[in-house]
Amino acid sequence: MDNFSNHFLISMPHMTDPFFQKSLVYICEHDSDGAMGIIINKTLSSQNIQDILTQTGLNAIKPHPEVYLGGPVAIDTGLILHDASYESEGELIITTKIKLTSNNQIIQDIINNIGPKDYLFSLGYSGWGEGQLEREIEEGDWLIMPANYEHIFELPNHTKWPTAAIKFGIDINSFSGGKSGKA
């Protein structure tokens, strides 16, 4: 079994599920039991953001951080994908440069300007059961490529999906295939 941790999943144009249509997913963990990742190019609509920022205290940060829609699983759970310079209890070390944390202390540290420099605040995550992600890749729903730090934290959201495809060496809009609407 290939391990796709620290890889991007680039959704193919035929995917019409609103969560995954034109999504770029960063795979945080992948093993024989399944996979988990965060959609890194989609933010929540503006009407919901202020309430979420106020509830978490992140409204104290200027400019306000974006709130990402990480996926359809545990949509009420906050996760922070961040640079590895920050350390906390219960973090998932993905690479020497990137970690994932759900510990509430990270939010206080971000507010107090002692948290990670680069981070994405996400609600929910994308999850796949045993063998599910591999089947979806085989069916042509996703392209997969190694991830890079800059793409996650430095590119504007609207360019992440098409830029990943270009780095893959393709014009993604010229592709079709897979099962329409499947995610």
Side-chain angles (χ1 to χ4, degrees):
M1 178 188 100
D2 290 327
N3 185 319
F4 297 132
S5 295
N6 193 40
H7 280 72
F8 290 136
L9 293 180
I10 306 166
S11 69
M12 293 299 286
H14 67 268
M15 292 181 75
T16 58
D17 177 294
F19 279 102
F20 297 112
Q21 184 177 37
K22 294 186 177 181
S23 287
L24 184 64
V25 181
Y26 177 68
I27 298 296
C28 302
E29 191 170 38
H30 182 229
D31 59 26
S32 60
D33 294 329
M36 157 306 151
I38 303 288
I39 298 171
I40 63 164
N41 67 321
K42 292 189 175 184
T43 57
L44 290 176
S45 62
S46 58
Q47 64 238 33
N48 300 326
I49 293 175
Q50 192 55 47
D51 288 342
I52 294 164
L53 292 175
T54 300
Q55 289 172 13
T56 60
L58 289 171
N59 62 329
I61 298 172
K62 303 290 187 227
H64 294 317
E66 294 184 282
V67 179
Y68 287 79
L69 180 61
V73 182
I75 199 76
D76 58 345
T77 301
L79 299 166
I80 300 192
L81 189 64
H82 60 91
D83 67 75
S85 66
Y86 178 81
E87 294 183 11
S88 72
E89 228 174 274
E91 65 192 10
L92 171 65
I93 299 169
I94 303 165
T95 72
T96 58
K97 293 183 176 183
I98 303 171
K99 296 178 182 178
L100 182 69
T101 301
S102 61
N103 184 326
N104 287 337
Q105 184 60 46
I106 192 171
I107 292 175
Q108 289 307 309
D109 290 345
I110 289 170
I111 293 167
N112 294 322
N113 205 27
I114 57 173
K117 175 183 154 283
D118 293 323
Y119 65 91
L120 298 179
F121 176 64
S122 168
L123 289 179
Y125 64 91
S126 303
W128 294 266
E130 180 182 347
Q132 182 182 3
L133 178 58
E134 292 82 354
R135 282 190 302 278
E136 290 181 13
I137 292 169
E138 286 175 14
E139 291 172 0
D141 292 335
W142 303 100
L143 293 176
I144 189 156
M145 66 180 282
N148 67 63
Y149 185 94
E150 295 75 21
H151 210 97
I152 297 168
F153 296 111
E154 296 174 10
L155 287 182
N157 292 325
H158 71 279
T159 66
K160 289 178 180 179
W161 181 74
T163 303
I166 289 167
K167 287 184 183 248
F168 200 86
I170 62 163
D171 174 3
I172 197 158
N173 291 309
S174 69
F175 276 72
S176 63
K179 297 176 182 171
S180 180
K182 184 170 186 307

